[in-house]
């Protein structure tokens, strides 16, 4: 279903002709896709009726400095590996609601789930002890296609309230 514009780089891809190679390009895409991601996540939270809280990041986009630091320190200069420049978070009352949310994402025709990482279990924790499920996804709405950002990989954190820290 996904077709990238040849002049629009797609993060997190091995397709060389659509690969993001500039931090400016990545950040511009993240800025454009962020309100679309926020709207999609807000609608998802409303559809789950009560067991979920949408926690928006103030800007919805990771700072340009933090993106640059990550590119240099974590990805050896490969901008295309950054897949959390546009991000949102949902807090859940229980794991059943979180599982329903994952099912909704997987069956949503306007979302392409790229990766799901379990960081709930002890083995999946990051060094801070913060536990969550990380979902990397692409927003594939008509507006995203019109803006040529349907290939941009975003991050959605699914966090149980009792483990939110």
């Amino acid at each position: 279903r996904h077709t990238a514009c040849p002049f629009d780089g797609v993060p997190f891809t091995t397709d060389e002709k659509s690969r993001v190679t500039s931090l400016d390009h990545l950040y511009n895409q993240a800025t454009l896709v962020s309100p679309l991601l926020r709207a999609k996540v807000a609608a998802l939270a409303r559809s789950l009726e009560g067991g979920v809280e949408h926690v928006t990041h103030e800007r919805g986009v990771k700072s340009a400095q933090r993106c640059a630091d990550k590119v240099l320190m974590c990805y050896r200069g490969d901008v295309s590996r950054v897949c959390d420049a546009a991000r949102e978070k949902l807090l859940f009352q229980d794991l059943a609601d979180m599982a329903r949310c994952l099912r909704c994402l997987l069956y949503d025709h306007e979302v392409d789930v790229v990766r799901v990482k379990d960081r709930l279990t002890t083995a999946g924790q990051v060094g801070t002890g913060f536990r969550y499920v990380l979902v990397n996804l692409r927003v594939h709405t008509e507006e995203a296609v019109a803006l040529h950002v349907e290939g941009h990989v975003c991050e959605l954190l699914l966090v149980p309230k009792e483990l939110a820290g």
Side-chain angles (χ1 to χ4, degrees), residues 5-146:
C5 243
F7 53 84
D8 284 328
V10 179
F12 204 61
T13 183
T14 55
D15 178 10
E16 288 301 322
K17 72 179 182 180
S18 61
R19 187 182 204 112
V20 169
T21 57
S22 125
L23 192 55
D24 286 339
H25 196 174
L26 173 83
Y27 203 74
N28 287 337
Q29 281 190 352
T31 301
L32 288 171
V33 80
S34 180
L36 308 179
L37 174 65
R38 180 169 287 167
K40 180 52 84 174
V41 171
L44 177 61
R46 283 190 305 276
S47 76
L48 294 170
E49 298 176 350
V52 62
E53 177 186 346
H54 182 199
V55 179
T56 62
H57 291 278
E58 185 176 317
R59 295 175 356 156
V61 178
K62 183 177 277 201
S63 76
Q65 183 60 54
R66 181 64 187 116
C67 285
D69 291 345
K70 195 168 190 178
V71 167
L72 293 174
M73 291 189 289
C74 301
Y75 301 133
R76 299 180 185 185
D78 185 357
V79 175
S80 71
R81 295 196 53 208
V82 175
C83 44
D84 64 347
R87 57 200 177 141
E88 291 292 324
K89 179 174 18 176
L90 292 173
L91 296 178
F92 293 87
Q93 291 292 338
D94 58 49
L95 295 178
D97 287 332
M98 187 183 292
R100 281 187 334 146
C101 177
L102 278 169
R103 276 193 302 277
C104 288
L105 286 169
L106 291 170
Y107 290 105
D108 187 333
H109 69 279
E110 293 183 331
V111 171
D112 295 324
V113 174
V114 175
R115 173 177 68 176
V116 176
K117 276 183 144 179
D118 172 14
R119 291 193 170 156
L120 280 176
T121 63
T122 304
Q125 283 186 69
V126 292
T128 63
F130 182 60
R131 295 182 185 197
Y132 53 91
V133 172
L134 182 150
V135 180
N136 290 120
L137 57 89
R138 294 181 177 110
V139 177
H140 201 276
T141 62
E142 286 182 21
E143 190 173 1
V145 172

